[in-house]
Amino acid sequence: MELRHLLTFIAVVEAGSFTKAAAALGYVQSSVTAQIQALESELGTALFDRLGKKTTLTSAGQKFLPYAQEITKLHALAKDAIRFNEEVTGTLVIGAPESLTAFRLPAVIREFKSRYGAVQIILKPGLCWEMGDRVKSGEMDLVFMLQHPAEDKDLLIESLVEERMALIAPPGHPLERVDPVTPADLKEEVMLYTEPGCTYRALFEHSLNACGVYPSQGLEFWSIEAIKNCVISGLGLSFLPLITVEGEIRQGRLSALAWDDRPQRLVTQMASHKKRVITPVMREFMCLARQHAVKWREDAGAV
């Protein structure tokens, strides 16, 4: 049973004649006649009585009419549902480590919300190594990670920008006069670390340990802001992504030591599940993140 036959049937009922229905639908009359005959043949009964110029429904046609109307109504609703699904609405659950949550994503989210205010964004923090599992489980729609470029059979991973790192100290620290600063120079220093499992902490500790250096004291903190404030106050040194400390360095509140960060540089990556349908909300946010990443790369090159 073809939808166009049902629509033509309803048009004939509403117009009261084949001729008027043909004019309303933009068909020639013979096409309307052929469609009604095809529908009647499929149903095995006549739907109209044609008495001269007057066209009326048979009893079978009267019984069939509400079903035809319901089918065409459901068809229209189905099309509307698909059309609505293409709109940028709903909820977007994003995961990211603290460094990216605080220093990369705010500008992206702000612009996204200015365009799509009806979308609810839920931003969940976590360690980078957790992000892949959380998007695989369906807990998150989209994740941002700070790690070495890697492939995953279940994830679509896109590199956005290489992140420089910084070994920071309070202004006036004796190591400001050392160039370059080496792992051996840190043997007696107090190091302020992020929590275990942090990618860049692990890389930094590995670089020290590979040279036989194990700082005499190390303290763990729950947030980057806490670490920065403690370094500023003279409690110790720390190793953090440059984006998290460049403001304080420019202001003279922190000092970036002459440390070769190239072995510990990481990449900000965006990832989603390979088998998940990219919704309009996800598509627009990902597109906006890519646009912002162009400026991130320009800024990183200017440092």
Side-chain angles (χ1 to χ4, degrees):
M1 190 176 296
E2 295 188 31
L3 180 67
R4 65 191 180 99
H5 293 170
L6 299 180
L7 292 171
T8 298
F9 167 70
I10 293 171
V12 172
V13 173
E14 293 175 346
S17 75
F18 281 54
T19 303
K20 291 180 180 178
L25 294 172
Y27 294 153
V28 295
Q29 184 174 336
S30 59
S31 178
V32 172
T33 300
Q35 289 186 47
I36 295 300
Q37 288 175 343
L39 185 58
E40 289 176 330
S41 176
E42 184 176 358
L43 294 173
T45 187
L47 297 174
F48 292 102
D49 283 323
R50 303 166 184 83
L51 304 174
K53 294 184 179 180
K54 189 175 181 181
T55 302
T56 60
L57 285 170
T58 63
S59 59
Q62 291 174 353
K63 291 179 180 178
F64 181 67
L65 178 59
Y67 292 101
Q69 291 171 327
E70 185 66 19
I71 291 170
T72 56
K73 178 182 177 182
L74 287 173
H75 176 264
L77 289 174
K79 289 177 66 177
D80 287 343
I82 296 300
R83 193 176 298 116
F84 175 78
N85 190 53
E86 288 301 310
E87 296 178 2
V88 184
T89 57
T91 300
L92 181 64
V93 183
I94 301 172
E98 182 192 2
S99 54
L100 301 182
T101 298
F103 297 96
R104 284 299 188 207
L105 294 181
V108 182
I109 293 173
R110 181 172 60 250
E111 184 173 349
F112 184 86
K113 290 293 289 183
S114 71
R115 297 184 187 183
Y116 310 108
V119 175
Q120 180 186 9
I121 292 181
I122 300 174
L123 188 56
K124 295 186 176 183
L127 296 173
C128 290
W129 65 268
E130 301 175 312
M131 293 297 148
D133 290 338
R134 295 172 82 175
V135 79
K136 289 177 187 178
S137 71
E139 179 186 347
M140 296 176 177
D141 301 313
L142 188 64
V143 296
F144 291 82
M145 304 176 290
L146 186 59
Q147 60 184 26
H148 284 306
E151 294 185 0
D152 189 299
K153 64 181 180 65
D154 296 317
L155 300 179
L156 290 171
I157 302 176
E158 185 174 344
S159 294
L160 299 178
V161 61
E162 182 183 65
E163 302 288 2
R164 295 187 62 178
M165 308 299 294
L167 179 62
I168 55 172
H173 192 280
L175 287 179
E176 283 184 329
R177 299 187 294 273
V178 178
D179 188 1
V181 174
T182 66
D185 297 316
L186 304 179
K187 187 175 182 180
E188 302 301 324
E189 297 294 334
V190 176
M191 297 303 306
L192 311 185
Y193 293 118
T194 50
E195 59 189 313
C198 173
T199 309
Y200 50 84
R201 170 184 171 172
L203 284 172
F204 181 69
E205 287 186 306
H206 177 74
S207 68
L208 298 185
N209 299 163
C211 294
V213 174
Y214 300 84
S216 58
Q217 297 185 60
L219 300 175
E220 292 180 2
F221 289 79
W222 65 94
S223 78
I224 290 174
E225 287 301 316
I227 290 174
K228 290 194 294 184
N229 287 331
C230 288
V231 173
I232 290 171
S233 69
L235 187 56
L237 312 183
S238 191
F239 185 75
L240 295 171
L242 181 61
I243 54 169
T244 69
V245 294
E246 56 188 350
E248 289 83 358
I249 292 172
R250 283 195 301 266
Q251 296 164 8
R253 300 172 63 209
L254 285 172
S255 177
L257 302 181
W259 174 269
D260 182 4
D261 71 308
R262 287 174 295 180
Q264 295 94 37
R265 289 184 187 178
L266 299 170
V267 175
T268 289
Q269 299 172 310
M270 177 170 62
S272 59
H273 201 294
K274 282 183 178 178
K275 294 184 179 179
R276 176 157 191 172
V277 174
I278 301 298
T279 64
V281 175
M282 290 175 63
R283 183 184 64 239
E284 292 303 310
F285 194 93
M286 293 167 76
C287 181
L288 198 55
R290 293 186 190 106
Q291 293 173 15
H292 278 256
V294 174
K295 186 175 186 306
W296 297 345
R297 292 191 292 271
E298 291 173 351
D299 292 344
V303 173

